[in-house]
Amino acid sequence: MSFDILTTLERIWSNTPQKSMLVCDHGSLNFADFQRALGEYLEVLKAYNPKVVALIGDNRCEWVFTDIACQVLDITFLPLPGYFTPAQIQHSLESAGADLLLIEQGFASAFAGTNVGELGCYELFALSSSHRAQLPPHTAKITFTSGSTGDPKGVCLSKNHQWQVAESIKSVIDLPIERHLCILPFATLLENVAGVYSALLHGATVVIPGLASLGFKGSSSIDFRCLVEKVSLVQPGSLITTPELLRGLIVAAESGWPVPDSLAFIAVGGARVSSGLLARAKAVNLPVYQGYGLSECGSVVSLNSPNGNLEGSCGKILPHVKVSIEDDEVMVQGATFLGYANQPQSWHQDKIATGDFGEINDGYLNILGRKSNLLISSFGRNINPEWVESELLSSPLIAQAFVFGEEQPYCVAAVLPSKAEFAEQLETAIASSNQNLPDYAQIKRFFILPQAVTPVSGLMTANGRPRRAALKQFLQSNIDSLY
């Protein structure tokens, strides 16, 4: 049975008709306002009758209208991240067979299409392509997870799957949260499903500031002063962060920023989080809970919560999925993606091999590292670089760390200090981290990165995971100089 979005939202929100459902930079909307705005989007999209609608734009209420309208009309929705290159966007549009493109006014348009009108803040472009896309039946959303210089891969998700994940998250958190503040781009599935959907099911107001007002400058940097000011102003009950964003909040709190009493739940995911970083968060009263997931599984598979928090783990396995360990690899069943766009051989998989090493302890999942990232030293020792990096990132002096050592006698690291003046203290910080590592995994030599590694460079995903092959190639001469 198909999930009935409108009936579900009416059941939850009609009892509080004056409560703000969505809050954006230009105002707030209660449920009646939402229904009227959604009606306009439904009417316009019906008139154009597209099969696949693509959207490029900032976080705003109109993004949510488009997403939900597409689901109501059974139109496939293709949100695209602003950090994609024009070539990657063109590849994504063609791979998905997009025939209508919504671009927020002010965003550059360099795509072959005919301007056919406007809808709210969006310009509408009719697209044509010689490529006939192959999509699994019931594809409601396509999320492209790659930000590398190669062609991205389209993960196809059903409507039921997305809302099933959101409902599962809601049931696990089970807190009286009044406001959720969105601080990740909506093109990132994590904020879309675990943030917006789950909050709406919870009856919580979704606060949607533009990314620039949060301090984001493109996709390459962030002014944390703006971010913490927004958190203080909104007084949210929940946030979703990446390890990098969490680190900025921790530093602000350690420097005297008063953490709002309203904050009850901060989820962190996207990359491995060190126990040291979580301990620092706890020390400054940041209620941080680690989770784990991947786009192919609707973005969240396991999550710690106030009702079940095992330190050091990636959380309790959510009730809608089954997780097992086969040959040390995490396997997921029960609620998974439909397949990849234009890859029929990937459709209808019963079990997903995640590519992550892991273990299960009393229902809690612990991720040990990426299978493909395993380093094997010249002494034959297996080393997960994420493990070593998490120890390095426990230090407040280190903002970024990337470990290398394949077929070498010892490990080396590329390191970025949190502040330029910390550069002279890095050797001491690394020595301290080494005390928590066995000899074969310790960092023997390092070099300082000239600048931060960001998604816009193609060397990192939007969630903060390094693209190791590309990063190693980019830094090869620096790495070689350490051996």
Side-chain angles (χ1 to χ4, degrees), residues 103-302:
I103 299 185
E104 186 174 334
Q105 294 167 357
F107 279 65
S109 173
F111 314 107
T114 304
N115 192 321
V116 293
E118 296 181 354
L119 175 57
C121 64
Y122 299 116
E123 294 182 72
L124 306 181
F125 289 84
L127 304 177
S128 60
S129 173
S130 58
H131 175 77
R132 187 174 179 83
Q134 292 179 287
L135 304 179
H138 311 298
T139 296
K141 183 171 290 167
I142 306 174
T143 181
F144 281 88
T145 59
S146 172
S148 70
T149 54
D151 290 337
K153 184 184 292 186
V155 175
C156 299
L157 302 164
S158 71
K159 174 171 60 178
N160 286 3
H161 181 195
Q162 295 175 76
W163 288 93
Q164 185 181 24
V165 173
E167 177 62 44
S168 193
I169 293 168
K170 168 187 170 288
S171 70
V172 167
I173 296 176
D174 193 28
L175 290 171
I177 291 171
E178 288 296 316
R179 286 179 299 279
H180 173 77
L181 175 61
C182 301
I183 64 174
L184 299 180
F186 280 168
T188 302
L189 189 66
L190 183 60
E191 186 69 82
N192 193 195
V193 173
V196 176
Y197 294 179
S198 188
L200 290 178
L201 292 177
H202 209 106
T205 300
V206 181
V207 183
I208 311 172
L211 295 175
S213 71
L214 290 167
F216 285 94
K217 300 172 183 177
S219 61
S220 59
S221 63
I222 180 171
D223 184 342
F224 279 103
R225 289 175 298 178
C226 291
L227 179 60
V228 298
E229 285 173 5
K230 182 66 74 173
V231 174
S232 295
L233 178 65
V234 172
Q235 296 283 305
S238 61
L239 300 169
I240 301 175
T241 69
T242 61
E244 183 179 359
L245 293 178
L246 174 61
R247 193 173 296 109
L249 295 177
I250 291 171
V251 170
E254 290 173 339
S255 302
W257 170 55
V259 176
D261 292 336
S262 62
L263 261 179
F265 191 87
I266 301 176
V268 59
R272 185 183 176 102
V273 186
S274 73
S275 56
L277 195 66
L278 295 173
R280 287 171 61 193
K282 186 175 182 180
V284 292
N285 296 318
L286 284 170
V288 176
Y289 299 91
Q290 188 175 4
Y292 165 79
L294 58 162
S295 296
E296 288 84 349
C297 298
S299 207
V300 188
V301 170
S302 65

Side-chain angles (χ1 to χ4, degrees), residues 29 46 114 169 181 248 325 368 417:
L29 298 89
K46 275 183 187 177
T114 304
I169 293 168
L181 175 61
I325 307 296
L368 304 175

Side-chain angles (χ1 to χ4, degrees), residues 278-465:
L278 295 173
R280 287 171 61 193
K282 186 175 182 180
V284 292
N285 296 318
L286 284 170
V288 176
Y289 299 91
Q290 188 175 4
Y292 165 79
L294 58 162
S295 296
E296 288 84 349
C297 298
S299 207
V300 188
V301 170
S302 65
L303 184 64
N304 280 302
S305 73
N307 299 318
N309 185 26
L310 179 63
E311 292 188 11
S313 79
C314 291
K316 202 159 199 174
I317 296 165
L318 293 179
H320 72 282
V321 288
K322 296 179 181 179
V323 178
S324 58
I325 307 296
E326 298 180 14
D327 296 327
D328 298 324
E329 184 177 1
V330 178
M331 310 293 287
V332 181
Q333 287 178 280
T336 57
F337 75 138
L338 300 172
Y340 296 113
N342 303 306
Q343 295 185 21
Q345 69 276 13
S346 71
W347 299 359
H348 313 304
Q349 296 183 44
D350 177 60
K351 185 183 294 186
I352 301 298
T354 65
D356 289 310
F357 286 124
E359 58 188 16
I360 299 173
N361 179 16
D362 195 25
Y364 288 86
L365 181 62
N366 188 25
I367 299 299
L368 304 175
R370 288 293 293 168
K371 189 176 180 180
S372 60
N373 294 337
L374 191 68
L375 300 177
I376 303 177
S377 75
S378 57
F379 289 102
R381 301 309 299 265
N382 294 337
I383 305 163
N384 279 310
E386 295 98 329
W387 164 42
V388 183
E389 288 160 357
S390 69
E391 290 296 337
L392 294 172
L393 293 171
S394 296
S395 169
L397 305 180
I398 298 175
Q400 290 186 316
F402 307 101
V403 170
F404 308 92
E406 177 69 19
E407 298 181 354
Q408 297 289 357
Y410 53 84
C411 289
V412 299
V415 181
L416 182 74
S418 301
K419 296 181 180 179
E421 57 265 33
F422 291 163
E424 295 180 0
Q425 303 174 53
L426 287 179
E427 190 168 347
T428 300
I430 291 172
S432 177
S433 296
N434 279 339
Q435 293 179 9
N436 298 318
L437 296 165
D439 180 74
Y440 66 85
Q442 291 179 1
I443 300 301
K444 304 298 184 184
R445 302 187 71 184
F446 71 94
F447 64 91
I448 297 176
L449 289 164
Q451 60 188 31
V453 176
T454 65
V456 75
S457 67
L459 303 176
M460 177 180 283
T461 70
N463 285 345
R465 289 175 175 161

